[in-house]
Amino acid sequence: LLPFLGITFGFPKNMGQMLAMTKLSQHVYPIVFVWPGSINLGYSYASKASASDINQESVLKLVSGLKESGITRVHFLTHSMGVQTFLGAFQDKVDDSGKITGRSEVSKYFTLAPDFDDSQGPKEGKRQQYQQQMTCKSITLLNPDFPVRAFVDRAFLSIRRVCQTVTVVGDRNDRALGFSSLINGVVPKVFGYQQPAVLKPNEYNPKWEFMERIGRSISSLHFDHSVVDEEEFRHMLFNKSASIDLTGVAEGKKSGNRFWLDIDVIDMTGLDTNIKDMRHSGFSLNSMLLKDLQELFSTGKRAMKRSTLLYREGNQFSFAHAPAFVSQ
């Protein structure tokens, strides 16, 4: 279990609480990757540092060390800004035109997901494998502070090619990510701040806009029909049918012009126990979420087959739990 924690204040303690309240196997070894962060006025600097080349090089050294130590299976867990370092490390190599030319050095340490079809992608992305690669068992992004458009355009593909079980845990009322969406929409434009490449979508708008984060805008994790058709979408990504509807049409009921990303999106908006007012760090104390994470790490099951979740639509799930205000 390899957690990426983007803001250091209190989160190592929260990580310890999470591990103490779950019954994970004794064979699970938590290795925490953390760096000096900041909040409030230092937020923009912390964001730039999280996606920096230095951090990405450090991740490469860590992953290389895991392989040399004989580790064969890895679960990745990120919280908040930690996702920026994580996705930066997996960022694909591109040429001047933006076309993918190869996998990142970190990505090459992991086998391709069994259901992945990247025949239209870079040479390293085909079915060829590298010797003695590790297996990425799961990738879990808790309250991820990452722009929606950049994730849909590029980042999703870079991690989905190495892992079948990618989970986003978000909250529609996450106040910290609400502030982040506003700050990242204003600061780069007003002060001329250049965001790291991993945070930019394919079509970057230099004007002011509300920069939605995937941990808050959890209904936006999909492709549009206007961008890609169904045949092209499936050929580009997968050669096996998914366990849930990804086409935007379920049992004859239209749900818009959407191709849902093949990830599990867990909506924790309805949870209200042991979650602070900011609704940004309930992963360490909320029993419902902890139970689901324990089942995920222990069994590797997708959300559709886990015991505490209810399917909603597209790639979205919620907890089988009634809010506190519901009574008989």
Side-chain angles (χ1 to χ4, degrees):
L1 178 61
L2 189 54
F4 282 67
L5 304 179
I7 304 290
T8 59
F9 306 113
F11 283 101
K13 179 185 70 175
N14 291 356
M15 193 67 220
Q17 290 175 333
M18 189 197 84
L19 294 173
M21 295 181 66
T22 54
K23 298 179 181 179
L24 297 175
S25 167
Q26 61 180 346
H27 300 294
V28 174
Y29 299 97
I31 302 173
V32 179
F33 184 93
V34 67
W35 61 94
S38 182
I39 56 178
N40 300 329
L41 296 178
Y43 172 82
S44 296
Y45 174 79
S47 178
K48 184 177 181 179
S50 67
S52 65
D53 292 339
I54 294 178
N55 260 14
Q56 294 175 28
E57 292 171 2
S58 298
V59 174
L60 178 60
K61 292 178 181 178
L62 173 59
V63 171
S64 175
L66 292 177
K67 179 186 174 184
E68 293 176 0
S69 300
I71 300 297
T72 59
R73 295 177 295 177
V74 178
H75 295 267
F76 286 105
L77 176 72
T78 77
H79 177 259
S80 190
M81 201 179 292
V83 70
Q84 298 181 18
T85 290
F86 176 72
L87 293 179
F90 275 86
Q91 184 180 10
D92 291 324
K93 300 175 183 177
V94 297
D95 58 21
D96 293 338
S97 65
K99 182 179 180 181
I100 298 176
T101 60
R103 298 164 63 186
S104 73
E105 296 305 313
V106 171
S107 178
K108 291 178 183 179
Y109 277 94
F110 296 92
T111 60
L112 292 174
D115 63 348
F116 194 83
D117 178 12
D118 201 14
S119 59
Q120 299 297 312
K123 183 176 181 181
E124 291 96 333
K126 295 183 179 180
R127 289 314 311 170
Q128 67 182 51
Q129 301 284 6
Y130 299 88
Q131 292 183 350
Q132 299 179 342
Q133 288 176 307
M134 295 182 289
T135 300
C136 183
K137 300 295 291 182
S138 71
I139 295 174
T140 306
L141 314 179
L142 301 171
N143 304 93
D145 185 2
F146 197 88
V148 170
R149 288 170 52 203
F151 184 78
V152 173
D153 286 350
R154 294 193 304 271
F156 160 71
L157 181 63
S158 69
I159 58 175
R160 181 57 183 82
R161 69 159 50 92
V162 300
C163 183
Q164 286 180 297
T165 308
V166 180
T167 304
V168 172
V169 179
D171 191 314
R172 301 174 194 272
N173 297 325
D174 189 320
R175 293 172 59 190
L177 295 185
F179 293 137
S180 174
S181 301
L182 180 61
I183 291 172
N184 282 285
V186 174
V187 172
K189 279 68 174 187
V190 175
F191 297 99
Y193 164 69
Q194 292 295 322
Q195 290 188 316
V198 69
L199 302 180
K200 294 182 180 180
N202 289 339
E203 297 182 2
Y204 183 66
N205 182 7
K207 298 181 180 180
W208 181 90
E209 61 181 342
F210 194 70
M211 195 72 69
E212 294 182 315
R213 320 312 274 180
I214 60 177
R216 179 181 171 95
S217 301
I218 54 179
S219 298
S220 301
L221 303 183
H222 56 78
F223 294 114
D224 293 328
H225 279 265
S226 59
V227 176
V228 61
D229 60 40
E230 181 177 352
E231 182 178 357
E232 180 184 0
F233 168 72
R234 290 195 179 280
H235 179 72
M236 179 176 64
L237 298 182
F238 314 108
N239 54 32
K240 292 182 181 179
S241 60
S243 59
I244 60 177
D245 172 65
L246 300 176
T247 65
V249 180
E251 298 180 358
K253 181 180 179 181
K254 294 185 178 180
S255 57
N257 293 328
R258 301 170 182 174
F259 287 123
W260 298 97
L261 301 186
D262 185 27
I263 58 179
D264 297 329
V265 180
I266 313 303
D267 184 359
M268 56 182 295
T269 307
L271 300 183
D272 49 19
T273 304
N274 300 118
I275 296 181
K276 294 181 180 180
D277 291 340
M278 292 294 286
R279 302 194 63 83
H280 188 62
S281 56
F283 69 93
S284 63
L285 289 175
N286 184 270
S287 59
M288 293 294 294
L289 178 55
L290 288 170
K291 182 178 180 180
D292 184 58
L293 291 176
Q294 176 181 313
E295 186 175 1
L296 169 60
F297 297 145
S298 300
T299 67
K301 294 179 180 178
R302 293 288 298 264
M304 184 65 76
K305 298 181 179 180
R306 298 207 295 274
S307 59
T308 60
L309 300 174
L310 296 174
Y311 175 61
R312 293 304 182 185
E313 67 165 341
N315 52 18
Q316 300 170 54
F317 299 80
S318 62
F319 288 94
H321 170 73
F325 63 82
V326 176
S327 61
Q328 291 183 342

